[in-house]
Amino acid sequence: MGASVSFAIRNFNLESQAELEISKMKPSLAPRHPSTKSLLREQMSCHPEIKEEIARKDDKLLSLLKDVYVDSKDPVSSLQVKDGGTRQEPKEFRLAKGRDFNMMSIKNIPKGKISIVEALTLLNNHKLYPETWTAEKIAEEYYLEQKDVKSLLKYFVTFEVRIFPPEDKKAIPSK
């Protein structure tokens, strides 16, 4: 009973609704580029059969279109695909090195990563004591890959501020 009522409500005045939809203004074509307008006019004037070909309906194609039956199914949701895959292992974390520069805000760092403070510290240590702080020792200490540490030491340096006294003026001795 409920299905027949909902069917009747859904299909009420269906023909007039369809007619209204069909009689609505069709969307206009996108504006053509000014350079192509003259070319299109020229081609249409030279070949009037093109305009007829555009407006003509092909009965063979229409009959083939009537035989088309579309059957669709919902695609598999991405959540189901993700669940079926391999499960990710939890990341390993390490404690941050050092206790200065407000390191209390950083609880733990994933292995293979370093914080900005640690990067500056290891770059400075390597700069001051290159024999002690080699790429191998840094990689072992901070759980990094050796090729990454070598690239870090090669392409990044810490700033060093030096103040040179002017050569033309004599330095004033402090009292």
Side-chain angles (χ1 to χ4, degrees):
M1 173 87 180
S4 62
V5 170
S6 65
F7 179 77
I9 292 173
R10 185 178 43 208
N11 291 335
F12 175 75
N13 205 9
L14 187 63
E15 289 178 9
S16 63
Q17 290 176 7
E19 292 231 5
L20 281 175
E21 194 66 34
I22 291 171
S23 66
K24 280 185 181 175
M25 287 288 288
K26 305 294 187 270
S28 61
L29 294 175
R32 299 190 189 279
H33 193 271
S35 64
T36 59
K37 283 183 181 179
S38 62
L39 290 172
L40 284 172
R41 284 189 199 123
E42 182 182 322
Q43 288 296 321
M44 290 292 199
S45 63
C46 292
H47 306 285
E49 66 272 3
I50 292 176
K51 194 169 189 176
E52 294 170 5
E53 186 69 26
I54 291 173
R56 185 178 61 85
K57 290 185 179 179
D58 192 352
D59 294 329
K60 181 180 176 186
L61 291 177
L62 285 174
S63 66
L64 290 174
L65 188 59
K66 289 179 183 176
D67 296 337
V68 173
Y69 175 74
V70 178
D71 185 24
S72 66
K73 295 180 182 176
D74 289 336
V76 178
S77 70
S78 60
L79 295 175
Q80 292 174 353
V81 173
K82 287 181 182 176
D83 291 341
T86 59
R87 187 176 169 194
Q88 288 184 344
E89 296 180 15
K91 291 183 178 181
E92 294 183 27
F93 291 96
R94 64 176 180 79
L95 293 175
K97 305 276 183 190
R99 291 286 174 224
D100 50 347
F101 300 111
N102 195 12
M103 293 295 286
M104 301 309 258
S105 62
I106 301 173
K107 301 289 184 216
N108 47 24
I109 300 169
K111 286 190 177 181
K113 310 266 185 200
I114 55 174
S115 68
I116 299 290
V117 175
E118 289 175 335
L120 291 173
T121 304
L122 71 88
L123 286 172
N124 197 34
N125 286 345
H126 177 73
K127 182 175 161 185
L128 297 175
Y129 313 106
E131 302 85 23
T132 309
W133 289 94
T134 61
E136 294 82 19
K137 182 175 180 190
I138 292 171
E140 182 181 316
E141 184 79 19
Y142 289 95
Y143 302 102
L144 300 171
E145 291 188 26
Q146 195 167 352
K147 65 178 181 72
D148 295 337
V149 174
K150 286 182 180 178
S151 296
L152 184 72
L153 295 176
K154 181 178 178 182
Y155 296 111
F156 292 93
V157 292
T158 55
F159 290 109
E160 184 175 327
V161 179
R162 291 186 184 178
I163 301 174
F164 297 106
E167 292 180 17
D168 59 342
K169 295 181 182 178
K170 292 184 180 180
I172 301 172
S174 60
K175 295 181 182 178

